[in-house]
Each structure stands twice: as structure tokens, then as C-alpha cells.
Amino acid sequence: MSEKLSAELIKQLSKIVGKENLFTDPGDCLPYGYDNSRLQATPEAVVFAREHDQVAGIVKLCHQHRIPLVTRGKGTGTTGATVPQQGGIVLSLERMNRILEIDRENRLARVEPGVTNKELQTALQQQGFFWPPDPTSAAVCTIGGNLAYNSAGPRAVKYGTPRESTLGLKGVTGSGETFYTGVNTTKGVVGYDLTRLIIGSEGTLAIITEARLKLTPLAQTKRTLQATYSDIHAAAKAVSAIMGQPVIPCALEFMDKSALEMVREFSDLALDSSVGALLMIEVDGAEHCIADEVTAVAQAASVEGLIDIHTAETKEEVAKLWKTRKALSPALRNIAPKKINEDVVVPVSRIPELIETLENLSKETGVTIVNFGHAGNGNIHVNLLLDPDDPKQLAAGEHCLNALFELVLGLGGTLSGEHGIGVVKRQFVDQELDPVELKLMRSIKQQFDPHQILNPGILFPD
Amino acid sequence: MSEKLSAELIKQLSKIVGKENLFTDPGDCLPYGYDNSRLQATPEAVVFAREHDQVAGIVKLCHQHRIPLVTRGKGTGTTGATVPQQGGIVLSLERMNRILEIDRENRLARVEPGVTNKELQTALQQQGFFWPPDPTSAAVCTIGGNLAYNSAGPRAVKYGTPRESTLGLKGVTGSGETFYTGVNTTKGVVGYDLTRLIIGSEGTLAIITEARLKLTPLAQTKRTLQATYSDIHAAAKAVSAIMGQPVIPCALEFMDKSALEMVREFSDLALDSSVGALLMIEVDGAEHCIADEVTAVAQAASVEGLIDIHTAETKEEVAKLWKTRKALSPALRNIAPKKINEDVVVPVSRIPELIETLENLSKETGVTIVNFGHAGNGNIHVNLLLDPDDPKQLAAGEHCLNALFELVLGLGGTLSGEHGIGVVKRQFVDQELDPVELKLMRSIKQQFDPHQILNPGILFPD
């Protein structure tokens, strides 16, 4: 815990950003003390930077006085990484929200970190491009946050994550030094790859003040397919078959039996009781190829155990196919508003083993477990439907989480595919990372942030 | 320079790897003291590791005794990164050459570092996959070397470099500690991305003893196009237009006017004198789409200044179209066997400016400069045709190199796209990297390799 900010320090902050970009009233600060993790802590001050030099000035000050500095975008993270548990200052980058350049010829955009994902996509769309990462929170979340967490979404299965779509960064280290990483081009091998080292580091190494993003041309058109299967084995086999042929879908999402039961129970959708797993598949491409591409994917999806496969032709049909998947979220919110949502990843071929073991765990503990997510990457959202405010349910949930993480690592998977570690998973990290790897990471952290002021208390286990 | 290896140390090395995996006779050691850079230094010993634990043992020994340890694959690098300038030991990984696993369902291969690129591609092809990196030296170069340099080739324009196609590593740090990085899956955000940090670090951070590679399904078919233009401006405009539409070619190579003149002069190919630039374009895809994809690319390539565009239909026609490009290398070898070959990168839209300035530089200095390469990435092989053994020519060459690097950086480019830094470019590195970035890289090096024994004397400027 830092000492209370002195009046002198507040004055210096105000000098850097101006009064209108500084909150010190606890009532004003409170909304900057939580994210989407249910964790909360009120910072002693909130500063809004409008330009790089202000960020550098703020970090220098915090470095000098060893004040915790938590950087955030719009607070849509789910792991508490931007919750100022050790007090200190929250630095919001939401006002550094300019798209500085869209360079069509070189397929490059330069942006400030506070631009929202959606604002960027809208601007790019007009030029025939997109930036691949598409988290569910795209309308709200910022590019800076996407880079900090290496956030992805359904499209990652074809187009990758921020690490595959970022060329370079400008930023400030934990001691307030300005640096540049990377290149303006799609190739470059001069020195170590600090760009990707910083992407996904959850703000613990440096503060990104500008990013050069690699753009991808928009496909001409897209088709949506829905395939239903008797069980998860058949669906997982289909996923492997789809991923093993050259037409990679731009979304390959799945729902397990418990997710389908949830929808049966809480919506008026007629869903055949024989359906034990469902895939939503999207294929994008050129107008003249799309029909054949859909055929190739549908063929791959047609494994033993397939019940039905539909391709939507019109907008209305697309909406209809997505109805089952979209009915899931309100159903889950309804039954367990405080559910625990994990985002583990396992090799695609191990999905059935994951789901079956979770089914058994659910029976054993009485905790309803609902699974859906990005099957093409093996990135499964495991939802524990419980009330964490009930100590008994919480204990059962913790037991399930421990079992889940052990299971995932045993299957050759990873604890998180897109949400990151933050506070909530940090005590599990050393189950996945080996001691030498973890030691190297800590030593790198020390080089970037010698006084350990940037987003302290996250990512690393105690 | 290290002290001479003691008899005791040689004995210990022999104990680790066995007599049959150790050279100490200078005659035996000599062929392991050079690469494709024309630099040379004879190591005091060459050891061949056959398994991870041997590598760890060797590094521990060298760490303890502060002996320079230069790791190499097959020595196809062009920058002297594996030349043991400070003496010590060369560790060859060419005998760690097993493909440990090809996991079709999860699109993953596990390999030892000494597997050649071609051996891997051949094995993968039988399963319907490939690994994207395709350096010209694929028949000889090793996966370990590809990872160390982040080597790419023509296919990178569509499929990326090793950094986009590697999931995780096993390795040994400079103090002999074993570590694992990354995941088995296409997503994973637990901790810092050490995988990509190590890829492209030219063996200075750690020795890779095993890699998990991400596989890509082979396209069904491929078509080859050749387009000729009146000048480099027209060709560069075509490159931008091609890269701005959704059908990304799997190769987009170019030859400039001086390269074409070289071919005119030294081959019997009839090449219209109006042609001032040439593009070789390859498009891959599904059988049923390829014709339309070729049309889309050909349309984009048809900018003002286009002289002619051909698509090959048969194998013979493909070979015929590649003839011009393939005639270039023997012509260059013929006229300047010791030519200097740089691999700078500039934003695609700046290619004309680069080429024009080089034309002027050539006139000014009398050094013939021939340019060709991977236009889709802006990665241009700039060849200075001179004899470096002639001091006057060498001086002119050095003047050209200085001017080239300054030009490239001024155009927003980078000094190397795929060859790396090694010894030959290290004194230019601080022209590209800013001091803070360079300081961070040095401090990371220090964490991985505290006694600075791994491939010493490369990558960083003095």
C-alpha cells in the first residue's frame, strides 16, 4: 500500500495534465476502481492523459515516489488487472483516442490506445480493411486494452490475435523512459521482439501510448452455418476435420450439452432433444468462391454423429441460426448472475475429454457447468453457475476451479486463451509456467519497471 | 578471446557427448568456423549434441568457465552470427534432427532443431500440411536456424514468418537452465511471450532444443503469373493494389531494371527492352476458386504502366515464367561472385523511392546495384556488385551501404527483413533502434545469459 498522495504530488499531477484531467474526489475516483471481475478498490487519484509526454511525466513522478500506477482503458477486463488494490493512481487512457493514420497502401494504422475497437473497425471498414481482434466487448473496449491482454475473439481462428496483427509500439517504461519497438513493415528482424513481449503483459512492463497495427483486407462476403451433433465427440471430430482442410472458417464456435439444455429450459426455441453439441461456423471469402468454400467446410463438418447442417442464405436466416447461441447469455445471466467464467484452452482433439470430465465434476459437486466458446482454437469458456456470495457454493466453485485447471494442464492446455491472469488467476500461474520461465519473466519485469509500480500485484504468483 | 580450452575441459565435454561427438583437431574444426558471410574463425572445439540434456550440460560447463559457445545448425546464415570470432566452442545441433511428432488433429509438429526445413516440409506434405517459412536455403538450413533468425522467404507475404508459426519452445539459457515457453494451442496468454522473444534473437538468449510448430493446411493448387511494367513506379503501384484486395498471393516477387538488364546481358532470354520492372506472382487456393482468384489478382496488377501479364497453365509454362528470375542468380554470380547482398525492408509504397535513389547512387559511385526480392513485404534484396577484395571497390561499397541504410531508415523501413544482424550489420543497429529499446534488449540479454557466453560479439553494436 502506498502512502497517501501528498498535496504536492497532486499539484504536480495537475501541472502535467491540467485540472480538468485529474480526479481526487473519492466519488469521482470510484468508477475507475473496478473492471468486469467484481473486484473493486478506490484509487487515490485518477489522471487522464491526452498525449504521450503526459504519460511519461506521470510515470516519472510515480517512479520517483514509488507510487502504484494502474493503467486502464475502459475497464472491460475480467481479471481485476486494472483494479488498484495497492491504492495509488489510476491512469486512464480513454482520452488518448485518436486514430492518427490509416495508410491503405501499406496496410497500416497508427492509433492511440484509447480508441475503441469498434471505432477503429468502423474507420477501417470504409477503406476496405479490418483489424482481426474482435472481443465481445468491441463496442466499448480499447485498442490499448486489447494489446495489454492480447485479446481476441471468434475471428482469431482464421486471423490471429493482436500478436499477429501489430507491427510496433511507442510506450513508456516503468521508470518513465520513452521507447519505440518494432517496424512499419510486415517483416523485420533487427534486435529482439519487444513488441510481442509487451503485448499480453497486462500493463506490467510498459504503458503503450501508440500502436502501429497491421490491417487485413475485408473479405467480400460471409456465410453462416449451423451444425448439430449427437454428442461432443462427434462435434470435436468435426472441428478437427474442419481445421485440417485448407478453408479455415472465420468463426468456429461451439456449445456443449449443458449449454444447450440451458437454452432449452430458458428460451422458447425448439431444439431437438437428440442434439448433444452444436457448432456455429462462419466462412468468409470472395463472392465467386464462397459457395464452394461452404461446401468444403460443410463436407469436413459432416462426420459420424452429425444430426443436421444448415447454411443461412439471407440475413434473416443468419439471425435465426445465431438465435440458439444468443439465447444462452441471457439464460446464464438469469440463472447465475455472478457465474464464474473461465477461458481455458486445450488442444482441439482433447475437447471431448475436457467436457466429459467436467460433466462428471458437475455431477460430483452439484455445480452446473456450461461450456461454449471458440472451438477452432480449443478456447473453451467454462461457466460455473453458482453464487459466489454463498460460502458453500463458493467452496464448491473453488474445488471445481482447481480441478479444472489441473485437468486443462494435464491435457496439454493453458489456463487462459484471451482473458489473461490479472489478480484472479495469478495463484495458479506457477502450475502452468515452469520455475525457470517464471524467473525469466520476473527478471524482465524488473528491467522494464525497477520500482514495480506498473499494475502491481497482478500476473505473478506470490 | 577465451583462454585455450584445458585438457580437463575437453575431457568433460567428451564425457557429456561421447568421443564420437567431439572435434578438437583444427582440421576437423575448420568447416564449423564459417557460414555464408565470407567470415571465418576456427573454433577450439566442435561438439555435436544429440539430446537436450547434453546441451544443458555443455552450457553449464561453458557458463562456469566463461567459454564462448556458438550454436549453429548448418551454417547457411549470411551475417557471421555463427562464426566463433572469440574462439571457444561451436555447438552443432545438426545431429539433433528428429521430427518428434506430427499431430494432424491439432495442427502441430514437435521437432528437434537440427531437422532441415526441407525434411520437415516433406514429412508434413504427406499429411496435407506445411510450415510457412521457406528460405531459399530450405534444402540445407535447419529449423533451429530458421527460428534463431526468424527466417522467411516468398511465402511470408501470405503465411507469415516463424514468429507467426511457432507455438512454444524448449531450451537452455546461458546459465544452463532448462526452460519451456509457450503453449500447444493457437491461443494462450499466461505470462510474457518469451517464445517470440527468443525467435529472431540469433542464439544470443538461449539455445532452442525443441520447438512446437503451428502447421498450415496445404492449398489444393497454385497458379503462377508474370507481369511486366514500364517502370518501378507502375510495378510498385501494382504491388500496393494487389496487397489491398482480399486475395493475398503466396508469393509476390519483383525484379528491378538493373536486375532485368543483368538477365538481358547474361542469358539468351528475349526480354522486351521496354520492360523496366517485373513481378512474379503466385496465388494458391482451392481448385474451384483458383481461376477467379487469379482474375482478382491480375485485375489488381493491371495498373497504368502494365506491359504484359501472363498466367501459366502448365508446369512447363510455370518453369518458363520463372526463367527470367532464375537466370538472375547465375548472372550475378558470374559478374560479382563476392557481391554484397542486403535484405532491407521499406513500406511497400516507398519501393519506387528506394529504387530510384539507388539508381542515382549507382551512377554516382560506379557500383552496379541490382534489386529484387519479396515486394509484397517491401523486403528488397539490394545487391552491390563489387569485389570486396579490391580496397577501392570495398570503399565504394561501404559508402553505398551507409547511404542505403540511411535511406531505408528515412523511408520508415528496417535494416533487415530475414537475414538478421550477426556481425556484419551490428554497427548499424543503433541507427535503427532507439537507445532505450537497445538498453532494454541488453538488459534482457543479461538475464538470459549472465556471463555473455552465447554467440558473443553479435547483434549489439559496441
PDB file of all heavy atoms in Angstrom, chain A residues 168-180:
ATOM      1  N   GLY A 168       4.315  -2.503 -34.369  1.00  0.00           N
ATOM      2  CA  GLY A 168       5.234  -1.804 -33.488  1.00  0.00           C
ATOM      3  C   GLY A 168       4.479  -0.963 -32.471  1.00  0.00           C
ATOM      4  O   GLY A 168       3.272  -0.741 -32.582  1.00  0.00           O
ATOM      5  N   LEU A 169       5.206  -0.505 -31.474  1.00  0.00           N
ATOM      6  CA  LEU A 169       4.613   0.251 -30.366  1.00  0.00           C
ATOM      7  C   LEU A 169       5.474   1.459 -30.029  1.00  0.00           C
ATOM      8  O   LEU A 169       6.675   1.472 -30.271  1.00  0.00           O
ATOM      9  CB  LEU A 169       4.531  -0.640 -29.113  1.00  0.00           C
ATOM     10  CG  LEU A 169       3.768  -1.964 -29.226  1.00  0.00           C
ATOM     11  CD1 LEU A 169       3.980  -2.788 -27.964  1.00  0.00           C
ATOM     12  CD2 LEU A 169       2.288  -1.717 -29.468  1.00  0.00           C
ATOM     13  N   LYS A 170       4.824   2.446 -29.447  1.00  0.00           N
ATOM     14  CA  LYS A 170       5.531   3.515 -28.745  1.00  0.00           C
ATOM     15  C   LYS A 170       5.048   3.430 -27.310  1.00  0.00           C
ATOM     16  O   LYS A 170       3.865   3.147 -27.062  1.00  0.00           O
ATOM     17  CB  LYS A 170       5.163   4.865 -29.359  1.00  0.00           C
ATOM     18  CG  LYS A 170       5.816   6.064 -28.691  1.00  0.00           C
ATOM     19  CD  LYS A 170       5.401   7.361 -29.373  1.00  0.00           C
ATOM     20  CE  LYS A 170       6.039   8.573 -28.709  1.00  0.00           C
ATOM     21  NZ  LYS A 170       5.545   9.841 -29.329  1.00  0.00           N
ATOM     22  N   GLY A 171       5.929   3.629 -26.354  1.00  0.00           N
ATOM     23  CA  GLY A 171       5.478   3.478 -24.981  1.00  0.00           C
ATOM     24  C   GLY A 171       6.404   4.120 -23.982  1.00  0.00           C
ATOM     25  O   GLY A 171       7.372   4.809 -24.335  1.00  0.00           O
ATOM     26  N   VAL A 172       6.085   3.890 -22.732  1.00  0.00           N
ATOM     27  CA  VAL A 172       6.844   4.435 -21.610  1.00  0.00           C
ATOM     28  C   VAL A 172       7.129   3.284 -20.645  1.00  0.00           C
ATOM     29  O   VAL A 172       6.216   2.542 -20.287  1.00  0.00           O
ATOM     30  CB  VAL A 172       6.036   5.538 -20.884  1.00  0.00           C
ATOM     31  CG1 VAL A 172       6.806   6.064 -19.676  1.00  0.00           C
ATOM     32  CG2 VAL A 172       5.672   6.676 -21.831  1.00  0.00           C
ATOM     33  N   THR A 173       8.376   3.121 -20.250  1.00  0.00           N
ATOM     34  CA  THR A 173       8.710   2.072 -19.277  1.00  0.00           C
ATOM     35  C   THR A 173       8.305   2.505 -17.871  1.00  0.00           C
ATOM     36  O   THR A 173       7.922   3.659 -17.662  1.00  0.00           O
ATOM     37  CB  THR A 173      10.234   1.805 -19.244  1.00  0.00           C
ATOM     38  OG1 THR A 173      10.875   2.983 -18.722  1.00  0.00           O
ATOM     39  CG2 THR A 173      10.781   1.494 -20.623  1.00  0.00           C
ATOM     40  N   GLY A 174       8.471   1.596 -16.922  1.00  0.00           N
ATOM     41  CA  GLY A 174       8.136   1.882 -15.528  1.00  0.00           C
ATOM     42  C   GLY A 174       9.027   2.926 -14.886  1.00  0.00           C
ATOM     43  O   GLY A 174       8.718   3.426 -13.805  1.00  0.00           O
ATOM     44  N   SER A 175      10.120   3.279 -15.539  1.00  0.00           N
ATOM     45  CA  SER A 175      10.923   4.374 -14.996  1.00  0.00           C
ATOM     46  C   SER A 175      10.687   5.671 -15.779  1.00  0.00           C
ATOM     47  O   SER A 175      11.410   6.648 -15.587  1.00  0.00           O
ATOM     48  CB  SER A 175      12.405   3.998 -14.963  1.00  0.00           C
ATOM     49  OG  SER A 175      12.807   3.483 -16.200  1.00  0.00           O
ATOM     50  N   GLY A 176       9.704   5.653 -16.662  1.00  0.00           N
ATOM     51  CA  GLY A 176       9.314   6.893 -17.341  1.00  0.00           C
ATOM     52  C   GLY A 176      10.075   7.159 -18.629  1.00  0.00           C
ATOM     53  O   GLY A 176       9.980   8.251 -19.194  1.00  0.00           O
ATOM     54  N   GLU A 177      10.811   6.156 -19.119  1.00  0.00           N
ATOM     55  CA  GLU A 177      11.561   6.365 -20.357  1.00  0.00           C
ATOM     56  C   GLU A 177      10.707   6.054 -21.578  1.00  0.00           C
ATOM     57  O   GLU A 177       9.979   5.066 -21.609  1.00  0.00           O
ATOM     58  CB  GLU A 177      12.810   5.477 -20.373  1.00  0.00           C
ATOM     59  CG  GLU A 177      13.859   5.912 -19.363  1.00  0.00           C
ATOM     60  CD  GLU A 177      15.126   5.090 -19.496  1.00  0.00           C
ATOM     61  OE1 GLU A 177      15.064   3.867 -19.276  1.00  0.00           O
ATOM     62  OE2 GLU A 177      16.170   5.673 -19.817  1.00  0.00           O
ATOM     63  N   THR A 178      10.836   6.885 -22.579  1.00  0.00           N
ATOM     64  CA  THR A 178      10.106   6.677 -23.831  1.00  0.00           C
ATOM     65  C   THR A 178      10.866   5.700 -24.715  1.00  0.00           C
ATOM     66  O   THR A 178      12.081   5.776 -24.823  1.00  0.00           O
ATOM     67  CB  THR A 178       9.975   8.028 -24.562  1.00  0.00           C
ATOM     68  OG1 THR A 178       9.116   8.865 -23.774  1.00  0.00           O
ATOM     69  CG2 THR A 178       9.387   7.854 -25.950  1.00  0.00           C
ATOM     70  N   PHE A 179      10.138   4.779 -25.352  1.00  0.00           N
ATOM     71  CA  PHE A 179      10.795   3.849 -26.276  1.00  0.00           C
ATOM     72  C   PHE A 179       9.884   3.567 -27.459  1.00  0.00           C
ATOM     73  O   PHE A 179       8.674   3.807 -27.415  1.00  0.00           O
ATOM     74  CB  PHE A 179      11.157   2.538 -25.560  1.00  0.00           C
ATOM     75  CG  PHE A 179       9.934   1.778 -25.123  1.00  0.00           C
ATOM     76  CD1 PHE A 179       9.320   0.859 -25.971  1.00  0.00           C
ATOM     77  CD2 PHE A 179       9.385   1.995 -23.880  1.00  0.00           C
ATOM     78  CE1 PHE A 179       8.179   0.178 -25.577  1.00  0.00           C
ATOM     79  CE2 PHE A 179       8.243   1.312 -23.476  1.00  0.00           C
ATOM     80  CZ  PHE A 179       7.640   0.405 -24.324  1.00  0.00           C
ATOM     81  N   TYR A 180      10.495   3.038 -28.495  1.00  0.00           N
ATOM     82  CA  TYR A 180       9.779   2.572 -29.688  1.00  0.00           C
ATOM     83  C   TYR A 180      10.165   1.118 -29.909  1.00  0.00           C
ATOM     84  O   TYR A 180      11.325   0.742 -29.689  1.00  0.00           O
ATOM     85  CB  TYR A 180      10.195   3.373 -30.917  1.00  0.00           C
ATOM     86  CG  TYR A 180       9.819   4.835 -30.840  1.00  0.00           C
ATOM     87  CD1 TYR A 180      10.596   5.724 -30.106  1.00  0.00           C
ATOM     88  CD2 TYR A 180       8.684   5.304 -31.486  1.00  0.00           C
ATOM     89  CE1 TYR A 180      10.249   7.064 -30.018  1.00  0.00           C
ATOM     90  CE2 TYR A 180       8.336   6.640 -31.401  1.00  0.00           C
ATOM     91  CZ  TYR A 180       9.120   7.523 -30.670  1.00  0.00           C
ATOM     92  OH  TYR A 180       8.768   8.841 -30.593  1.00  0.00           O
TER      93      TYR A 180
END
